[in-house]
Amino acid sequence: MSGLLSLAVVLLTSCGTEPEMRPTVTVEQAEQRVEEYFRQALAVLPAQARPVPGLIDTYECDDPTDNGPKGRKIASVDYQIHDLPQADYPEYISRIERWWLDHDFRILDDERPERESIWVENNRDGFRMRVTASKGGKLILIASSPCVWPDGTPEPA
């Protein structure tokens, strides 16, 4: 399971390739927004859906392909969703996809039908989400922020 979570975090944490400084929210705001996006997507699932936290973390934005400045952070959450029938996962994933598309997310990768997994990014703020059904029968919902400054955009020197 930890291999799947590690892969998901790596896939979700691309910070971009532009070297200039961009305005960011604070780490605290990023943590709140990933949780908010998660809760909003969860709300489209049946009431019996029970989220169990897997990884809730804030870590260094040290993507080697990122040309941006050091010192930024990424906020990330992932939850396993329990108490839903595995046979209905494709329908639940479609519901989440519809919510994303109605809320200004764009699809970055859709692995269906080979694998029940979709990865998206919000067009306004760069936050990313993924929903995936693992081979072990687990439904996992992940949200992560783009790279942000701990206290928001730093003042020019």
Side-chain angles (χ1 to χ4, degrees):
M1 175 66 185
S2 65
L4 176 62
L5 292 178
S6 297
L7 175 61
V9 170
V10 167
L11 290 173
L12 287 171
T13 59
S14 172
C15 297
T17 59
E18 297 177 9
E20 76 270 3
M21 243 184 330
R22 298 176 138 184
T24 74
V25 296
T26 67
V27 167
E28 183 178 328
Q29 291 167 325
E31 291 168 344
Q32 291 169 354
R33 192 168 304 166
V34 294
E35 189 67 34
E36 179 182 315
Y37 278 141
F38 165 76
R39 294 288 168 196
Q40 290 172 347
L42 180 68
V44 304
L45 298 177
Q48 77 266 20
R50 183 175 54 89
V52 175
L55 176 68
I56 299 174
D57 198 11
T58 300
Y59 51 92
E60 296 294 320
C61 176
D62 60 0
D63 182 349
T65 65
D66 176 35
N67 295 321
K70 300 220 183 282
R72 295 168 300 151
K73 306 279 186 187
I74 294 171
S76 180
V77 298
D78 76 64
Y79 288 85
Q80 286 185 24
I81 311 302
H82 292 260
D83 300 339
L84 296 176
Q86 185 175 351
D88 295 335
Y89 284 0
E91 169 58 25
Y92 301 143
I93 290 171
S94 291
R95 287 183 191 184
I96 292 169
E97 176 189 21
R98 282 191 299 272
W99 182 86
W100 283 334
L101 294 176
D102 289 345
H103 290 86
D104 205 21
F105 284 84
R106 72 178 177 282
I107 295 173
L108 298 174
D109 188 30
D110 186 343
E111 298 179 35
R112 296 171 299 174
E114 293 83 23
R115 183 170 177 237
E116 291 295 326
S117 184
I118 303 174
W119 181 31
V120 298
E121 180 175 277
N122 187 278
N123 291 313
R124 291 183 311 263
D125 60 19
F127 281 66
R128 292 183 173 185
M129 296 188 76
R130 178 180 285 277
V131 62
T132 191
S134 73
K135 288 183 181 180
K138 295 180 171 113
L139 187 64
I140 301 167
L141 186 56
I142 303 164
S144 69
S145 74
C147 296
V148 300
W149 292 103
D151 296 318
T153 304
E155 296 297 319

